[in-house]
């Protein structure tokens, strides 16, 4: 009995994380003639397409935690978080590519995320590139982005909170860019 | 000494002194002489014995002496030596050989006048091979005993072995034939496939120009020969083509390569009395011809043919409504010629016979008279003769007797003691007349109008055909269009279905998303398993003997002063 118990394996302690903690839903009412933007499927770097949470431990070395994993698909989580942040602005309505409201003449927003992780340098980074395409004009905008935040606490939970903030920064950047782009196109 | 040696004293005085020899007279014949006498007697006796035991000396005349040798060739009867050839010499007329032979005394009384002699040597004939035994022993003369009461010492030899040895039980008959077929010695007489006799020899009668065949029928088949027996030829293969088809007939296998005669009783004829002594029989060409001979009497008539008689032969049947009642006896006999053949209106006389026996009348004079009279009565009532085609292949004709309606009345005439039966044109002439009549009718038709009408009808038919062709083409087009529309509808339906299917699986569709999601989950799971697999690969026992935690890294908070 003692031998058996000595040979037995201790169950792995796994922690699951969500990017956006649940919050009360704020119903945002858009105007009827508001411009609509369709957010296409988020394109992730291949190493981010896994449940293990990644961490950069050296310049070219990544670490994937076995005990700390995403509770959902990262691209779905990023899409949801961005939609929530982007739709804070009532002048433009953002919708998912899966939404029944999308139309083919909507401005489409395509985001490619190349990095979205914490590092052993006590930072979280997010980088990538996004495209705006107006099929009516037609007109296209491509812009790279890079955001980083410093970790103030240890642990994955805080790091994920900071990563969520990085998405808010990205959303603001997109909104700002789209507003300028809209103005430009309107003037044009 | 001289005294003793002196001759005896001549005196006759009695001798004085010792006893004197008594002189006795000498015997005239010594006993020793009996020995030669006895020997002579024995020799004489032996000569007498030899002379008295030897048979008669006979002479046999042969055409040739092939294989015979004086002093060696024997004469045999039933393979028993009965004589020896003593001398062979040419006959006086040099036409043959005279063989002198000494016969045994025991056969002295067997030298019948009709004994047969022939040389036995190897012989190959159609009837078989004989005399092979003489290949080693050499030829000999065989003697067949005859039946005659008289004896003889001079004989004529046969050229070969007799077909029928003398004394064989059976019956001798003579067949005769004036036909072209000929028989030779040894040819078979066949009865129902069995060889029952042979032709022994042939004789040609120059006066009658008939060949006679002496024939022997073996016992017990000779009992089959009766006074009504008919003989007919069965040589080789008989091929007969008639309405029933092709018929082959042959006798025995032997008769297939040689000649043969068969006999029998034609149907409906009584057998009659059996034959006990030599009789004469005719050899007919066939059974049918032999059968015709069963009727003895026949009423003879003449028909005068105006058309050709080509195809009509002697022996051709005379039919009354399809039944054979007689036959043609003669065609254009010289005694019936009325005018010259080169005369334009020469009618060819043909003698025909009607046999009472064939029309259910008695085969006697009474029946003959009845038939003759009845025929003449029928002539008055319209009976006419005509030549008709009996065989389309050979063109053979026969005489047909028919009652004709509406015939011109004919008077009974006679021609050279024959009653004449009037004739009508032959079949060909009748057909010709009918065809002429038909052609005349055709000529009388208004063929020009008919041709015009026919032309017009043909034009109409042509136009109808053209319109029918156009209709058919239109129908083809219609069918093609209907078929095309149908195919188009089907294609459209299929494309729609295909569209629906592709929409179901197109990018953004539910199915597409589900499939994509499932694939992504699979991919993610595989990625998650990669570290585990790597760990198991490096240390397989790590799954059991480690706590699975390993080295754990986690993000660290920045130290004071590092935050931006």
């Amino acid at each position: 009995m003692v031998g058996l118990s000595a040979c037995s394996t201790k169950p792995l302690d796994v922690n699951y994380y969500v990017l956006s903690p649940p919050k009360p839903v704020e119903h945002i009412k858009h105007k009827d003639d508001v411009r609509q933007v369709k957010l296409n499927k988020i394109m992730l770097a291949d190493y981010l397409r896994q449940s293990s949470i990644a961490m950069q431990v050296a310049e070219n070395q990544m670490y994937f935690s076995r005990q700390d994993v995403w509770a959902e698909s990262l691209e779905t989580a990023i899409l949801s978080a961005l939609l929530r942040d982007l739709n804070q602005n009532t002048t433009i309505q953002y919708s998912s590519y899966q939404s029944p409201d999308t139309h083919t003449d909507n401005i489409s927003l395509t985001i490619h995320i190349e990095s979205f992780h914490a590092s052993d340098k006590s930072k979280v980074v997010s980088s990538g590139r996004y495209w705006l395409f107006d099929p009516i004009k037609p007109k296209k905008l491509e812009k790279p982005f890079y955001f980083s935040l410093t970790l103030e606490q240890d642990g994955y939970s805080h790091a994920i909170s900071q990563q969520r903030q990085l998405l808010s920064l990205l959303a603001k950047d997109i909104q700002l860019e789209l507003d300028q782009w809209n103005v430009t196109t309107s003037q044009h | 000494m001289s005294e003793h040696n002196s001759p005896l004293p001549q005196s006759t005085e009695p001798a004085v002194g010792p006893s004197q020899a008594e002189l006795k007279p000498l015997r005239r014949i010594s006993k020793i002489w009996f020995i030669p006498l006895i020997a002579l007697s024995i020799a004489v006796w032996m000569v007498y014995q030899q002379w008295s035991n030897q048979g008669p000396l006979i002479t046999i005349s042969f055409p040739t002496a092939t294989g015979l040798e004086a002093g060696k060739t024997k004469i045999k009867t039933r393979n028993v030596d009965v004589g020896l050839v003593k001398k062979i010499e040419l006959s006086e007329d040099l036409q043959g050989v005279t063989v002198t032979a000494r016969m045994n005394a025991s056969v002295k009384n067997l030298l019948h006048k009709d004994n047969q002699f022939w040389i036995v040597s190897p012989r190959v004939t159609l009837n078989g091979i004989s005399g092979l035994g003489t290949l080693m022993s050499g030829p000999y003369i065989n003697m067949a005993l005859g039946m005659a009461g008289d004896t003889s010492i001079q004989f004529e030899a046969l050229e070969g072995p007799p077909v029928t040895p003398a004394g064989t039980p059976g019956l001798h008959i003579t067949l005769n034939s004036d036909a072209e077929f000929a028989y030779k010695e040894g040819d078979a007489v066949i009865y129902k496939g069995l060889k029952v006799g042979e032709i022994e020899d042939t004789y040609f009668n120059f006066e009658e120009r008939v060949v006679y065949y002496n024939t022997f029928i073996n016992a017990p088949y000779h009992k089959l020969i009766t006074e009504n027996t008919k003989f007919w030829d069965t040589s080789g293969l008989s091929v007969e083509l008639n309405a029933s088809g092709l018929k082959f007939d042959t006798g025995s296998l032997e008769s297939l390569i040689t000649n043969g005669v068969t006999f029998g009783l034609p149907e409906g004829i009584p057998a009659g009395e059996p034959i006990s002594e030599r009789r004469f029989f005719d050899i007919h060409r066939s059974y049918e011809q032999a059968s015709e001979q069963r009727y003895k009497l026949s009423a003879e008539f003449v028909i005068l043919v105006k058309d050709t008689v080509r195809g009509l032969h002697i022996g051709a049947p005379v039919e009354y409504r399809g039944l054979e009642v007689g036959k043609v006896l003669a065609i254009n006999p010289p005694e019936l010629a009325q005018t010259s053949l080169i005369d334009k209106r020469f009618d060819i006389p043909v003698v025909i016979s009607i046999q009472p026996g064939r029309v259910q009348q008695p085969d006697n004079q009474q029946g003959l008279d009845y038939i003759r009279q009845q025929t003449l009565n029928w002539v008055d009532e319209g009976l006419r003769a005509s030549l008709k085609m009996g065989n389309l292949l050979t063109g053979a004709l026969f005489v047909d007797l028919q009652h004709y309606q509406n015939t011109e009345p004919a008077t009974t005439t006679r021609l050279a003691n024959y009653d004449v039966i009037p004739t009508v044109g032959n079949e060909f002439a009748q057909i010709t007349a009918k065809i002429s009549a038909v052609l005349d009718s055709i000529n009388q038709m208004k063929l020009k109008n008919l041709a015009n009408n026919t032309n017009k009808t043909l034009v109409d038919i042509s136009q109808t055909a053209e319109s029918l062709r156009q209709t058919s083409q239109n129908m083809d087009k219609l069918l093609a269009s209907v078929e095309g529309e149908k195919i188009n509808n089907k294609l459209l339906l299929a494309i729609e279905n295909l569209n629906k299917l592709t929409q179901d699986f197109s990018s953004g569709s539910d199915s597409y998303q589900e499939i994509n999601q499932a694939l992504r989950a699979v991919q993610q799971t595989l990625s998650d398993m990669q570290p585990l697999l790597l760990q198991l690969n490096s240390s397989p026992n790590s799954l059991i003997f480690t706590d699975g935690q390993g080295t754990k890294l986690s993000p660290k908070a920045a130290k004071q002063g590092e935050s931006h």
Side-chain angles (χ1 to χ4, degrees):
Chain A
M1 197 64 185
V2 174
L4 283 174
S5 58
C7 291
S8 66
T9 305
K10 185 182 174 184
L12 187 64
D13 188 12
V14 180
N15 302 310
Y16 294 91
Y17 300 91
V18 290
L19 193 60
S20 301
K23 284 184 178 176
V25 178
E26 297 173 13
H27 181 69
I28 300 167
K29 188 170 182 179
H30 296 283
K31 294 175 184 175
D32 292 339
D33 57 347
V34 70
R35 192 69 193 270
Q36 291 192 341
V37 174
K38 180 183 74 172
L39 181 55
N40 285 330
K41 187 177 178 182
I42 304 298
M43 296 189 288
L44 287 179
D46 281 347
Y47 74 93
L48 294 174
R49 294 176 185 273
Q50 54 186 311
S51 55
S52 296
I53 295 174
M55 189 173 80
Q56 186 176 5
V57 293
E59 187 177 0
N60 297 317
Q61 186 179 359
M62 298 301 293
Y63 166 77
F64 295 95
S65 173
R66 283 186 289 170
Q67 290 96 343
D68 304 285
V69 296
W70 294 108
E72 62 178 337
S73 165
L74 187 58
E75 58 190 27
T76 308
I78 292 173
L79 182 67
S80 301
L82 279 175
L83 279 175
R84 183 180 292 180
D85 291 345
L86 287 170
N87 276 321
Q88 295 301 319
N89 187 347
T90 56
T91 56
I92 297 176
Q93 182 183 355
Y94 295 87
S95 59
S96 163
Y97 66 95
Q98 293 172 317
S99 169
D101 295 341
T102 54
H103 299 288
T104 52
D105 55 349
N106 290 346
I107 296 173
S108 66
L109 170 62
T110 304
I111 302 171
H112 181 214
I113 293 178
E114 294 169 353
S115 61
F116 187 68
H117 54 78
S119 71
D120 58 348
K121 302 276 179 61
S122 303
K123 284 186 176 178
V124 288
V125 294
S126 173
S127 67
R129 185 179 297 269
Y130 63 83
W131 295 267
L132 285 168
F133 177 70
D134 187 351
I136 296 174
K137 301 293 180 190
K139 183 176 174 185
K140 187 172 74 174
L141 171 69
E142 180 183 358
K143 184 183 179 186
F145 62 89
Y146 180 85
F147 302 104
S148 70
L149 289 173
T150 304
L151 293 174
E152 297 165 356
Q153 297 174 19
D154 292 342
Y156 281 96
S157 184
H158 176 68
I160 287 170
S161 296
Q162 291 297 85
Q163 282 177 286
R164 176 68 183 82
Q165 292 304 314
L166 292 176
L167 291 179
S168 297
L169 293 174
L170 174 62
K172 283 177 184 172
D173 185 65
I174 291 170
Q175 283 176 339
L176 185 62
E177 198 64 42
L178 191 58
D179 286 344
Q180 291 179 356
W181 192 57
N182 253 342
V183 171
T184 310
T185 54
S186 301
Q187 289 174 350
H188 183 71
Chain B
M1 274 305 277
S2 60
E3 290 181 359
H4 292 287
N5 292 335
S6 64
L8 291 171
Q10 298 295 317
S11 68
T12 57
E13 292 178 356
V16 182
S19 60
Q20 292 185 340
E22 185 181 358
L23 296 179
K24 292 181 180 178
L26 289 173
R27 291 181 182 174
R28 292 181 63 98
I29 299 173
S30 172
K31 289 179 181 177
I32 197 69
W33 289 107
F34 283 106
I35 295 172
L37 282 177
I38 292 169
L40 183 62
S41 301
I42 291 171
V44 170
W45 178 81
M46 287 178 69
V47 169
Y48 172 75
Q49 190 70 21
Q50 179 68 24
W51 177 79
S52 62
N53 283 339
Q54 75 178 358
L57 204 60
I58 64 170
T59 57
I60 313 168
S61 299
F62 285 95
T64 62
T66 308
L68 300 184
E69 288 184 59
K72 287 182 71 175
T73 305
K74 295 173 181 176
I75 298 176
K76 296 184 178 183
T77 295
R78 299 184 190 279
N79 264 337
V80 175
D81 293 348
V82 294
L84 186 69
V85 171
K86 291 295 184 184
K87 189 169 62 178
I88 302 171
E89 56 188 1
L90 286 173
S91 59
E92 292 179 356
D93 58 359
L94 303 178
Q95 297 298 312
V97 177
T98 304
V99 172
T100 307
R102 173 70 69 186
M103 304 300 288
N104 294 348
S106 57
V107 297
K108 180 182 178 182
N109 297 326
L110 298 177
L111 296 173
H112 304 292
K113 193 177 180 181
D114 57 348
N115 277 8
Q116 293 172 319
F117 293 84
W118 68 93
I119 299 173
V120 178
S121 57
R123 194 178 174 87
V124 179
T125 63
L126 286 172
N127 295 326
I129 301 172
S130 61
L132 283 181
T134 59
L135 280 174
M136 301 298 292
S137 63
Y140 64 89
I141 298 172
N142 200 10
M143 180 180 76
L145 297 178
M147 305 292 286
D150 300 338
T151 60
S152 173
I153 58 168
Q154 287 189 339
F155 300 95
E156 284 285 332
L158 303 175
E159 291 187 0
V163 175
T164 309
T168 306
L171 174 68
H172 288 275
I173 56 174
T174 299
L175 305 176
N176 63 80
S177 165
D178 58 352
E180 296 302 323
F181 44 81
Y183 305 96
K184 60 182 182 302
E185 292 177 17
D187 281 349
V189 177
I190 296 159
Y191 182 75
K192 294 189 185 300
L194 296 172
K195 182 182 175 183
V196 298
E198 282 182 337
I199 291 175
E200 292 182 307
D201 57 8
T202 60
Y203 169 72
F204 181 70
N205 187 319
F206 280 92
E207 293 179 0
E208 299 176 4
R209 295 178 186 268
V210 170
V211 185
Y212 288 93
Y213 303 97
N214 289 324
T215 307
F216 184 76
I217 308 294
N218 296 317
Y221 302 104
H222 69 287
K223 295 176 185 173
L224 296 170
I225 310 296
T226 60
E227 59 183 5
N228 286 336
T229 299
K230 303 291 181 189
F231 287 79
W232 63 91
D233 179 60
T234 181
S235 303
L237 186 65
S238 162
V239 181
E240 184 183 352
L241 179 65
N242 56 22
S244 306
L246 198 60
K247 181 182 173 187
F248 292 92
D249 260 332
T250 181
S252 63
L253 183 63
E254 184 181 343
S255 69
L256 195 64
I257 53 176
T258 64
N259 290 327
V261 179
T262 188
F263 61 90
L265 280 171
E267 197 175 348
I269 292 186
E273 293 296 321
I275 302 298
S276 59
E277 56 187 9
R278 184 181 291 273
R279 287 279 292 269
F280 290 86
F281 294 93
D282 292 332
I283 304 176
H284 302 285
R285 289 177 183 273
S286 63
Y287 171 76
E288 287 73 21
Q289 197 183 43
S291 298
E292 288 175 2
Q293 303 302 319
R294 55 187 165 174
Y295 305 112
K296 294 172 184 169
L297 299 178
S298 61
E300 296 172 356
F301 297 91
V302 166
I303 60 173
L304 297 171
V305 181
K306 293 181 172 55
D307 306 307
T308 177
V309 293
R310 182 183 177 84
L312 185 68
H313 301 285
I314 295 174
V318 175
E319 295 185 359
Y320 171 67
R321 294 163 62 192
L323 296 174
E324 188 172 341
V325 296
K327 61 181 180 181
V328 173
L329 297 179
I331 299 170
N332 193 24
E335 68 269 19
L336 292 181
Q338 308 166 74
T339 56
S340 172
L341 183 60
I342 57 173
D343 192 344
K344 190 179 179 183
R345 297 188 57 80
F346 177 73
D347 293 338
I348 303 170
V350 174
V351 180
I352 64 170
S353 70
I354 298 176
Q355 294 168 312
R358 290 186 183 271
V359 290
Q360 287 81 38
Q361 294 298 319
D363 197 10
N364 53 26
Q365 189 59 41
Q366 187 183 354
L368 188 66
D369 293 341
Y370 175 79
I371 283 297
R372 188 169 286 145
Q373 188 57 47
Q374 186 65 33
T375 305
L376 294 178
N377 291 340
W378 279 355
V379 168
D380 292 340
E381 294 172 5
L383 183 74
R384 298 289 183 270
S386 66
L387 300 184
K388 287 191 173 176
M389 189 80 73
N391 190 319
L392 285 174
L393 287 176
T394 61
L397 298 178
F398 69 97
V399 177
D400 185 49
L401 298 176
Q402 288 267 14
H403 290 285
Y404 290 89
Q405 302 290 337
N406 305 323
T407 52
E408 293 179 3
T411 56
T412 308
T413 56
R414 287 180 68 82
L415 182 63
N417 296 328
Y418 292 107
D419 290 315
V420 177
I421 299 177
T423 57
V424 293
N426 68 11
E427 202 171 32
F428 183 73
Q430 291 174 24
I431 291 172
T432 308
K434 285 180 182 174
I435 291 176
S436 294
V438 171
L439 289 175
D440 289 343
S441 302
I442 291 173
N443 280 334
Q444 289 171 2
M445 290 180 188
K446 296 179 178 176
L447 287 178
K448 194 173 181 182
N449 291 341
L450 185 65
N452 288 337
N453 290 337
T454 307
N455 272 340
K456 192 178 176 184
T457 308
L458 287 174
V459 169
D460 291 345
I461 289 173
S462 178
Q463 289 173 352
T464 309
E466 179 61 26
S467 58
L468 189 64
R469 192 177 64 82
Q470 288 178 356
T471 309
S472 148
Q473 284 179 350
N474 292 336
M475 185 65 82
D476 280 349
K477 287 177 183 171
L478 182 63
L479 286 174
S481 62
V482 167
E483 193 70 18
E485 284 178 6
K486 205 172 171 183
I487 290 171
N488 283 341
N489 289 337
K490 285 186 177 177
L491 274 177
L492 281 177
L493 194 62
I495 289 170
E496 282 176 9
N497 290 334
L498 198 61
N499 265 342
K500 286 180 184 173
L501 186 67
T502 50
Q503 280 173 5
D504 286 345
F505 290 95
S506 63
S507 174
S509 69
D510 291 344
S511 304
Y512 175 79
Q513 294 296 339
E514 284 171 7
I515 292 170
N516 239 357
Q517 203 168 348
L519 288 175
R520 210 176 301 130
V522 170
Q523 191 179 4
Q524 191 171 343
T525 307
L526 289 175
S527 301
D528 292 347
M529 287 181 70
Q530 193 176 5
L532 178 64
L533 293 174
L534 289 171
Q535 182 184 343
L536 286 174
N537 209 16
S538 61
S539 54
N541 58 353
S542 61
L543 198 61
I544 300 173
F545 297 109
T546 63
D547 57 359
Q549 303 290 336
T551 308
K552 183 180 175 183
L553 299 176
S554 62
K556 300 293 181 187
K559 296 173 182 176
Q560 290 297 324
E562 286 184 358
S563 61
H564 66 286

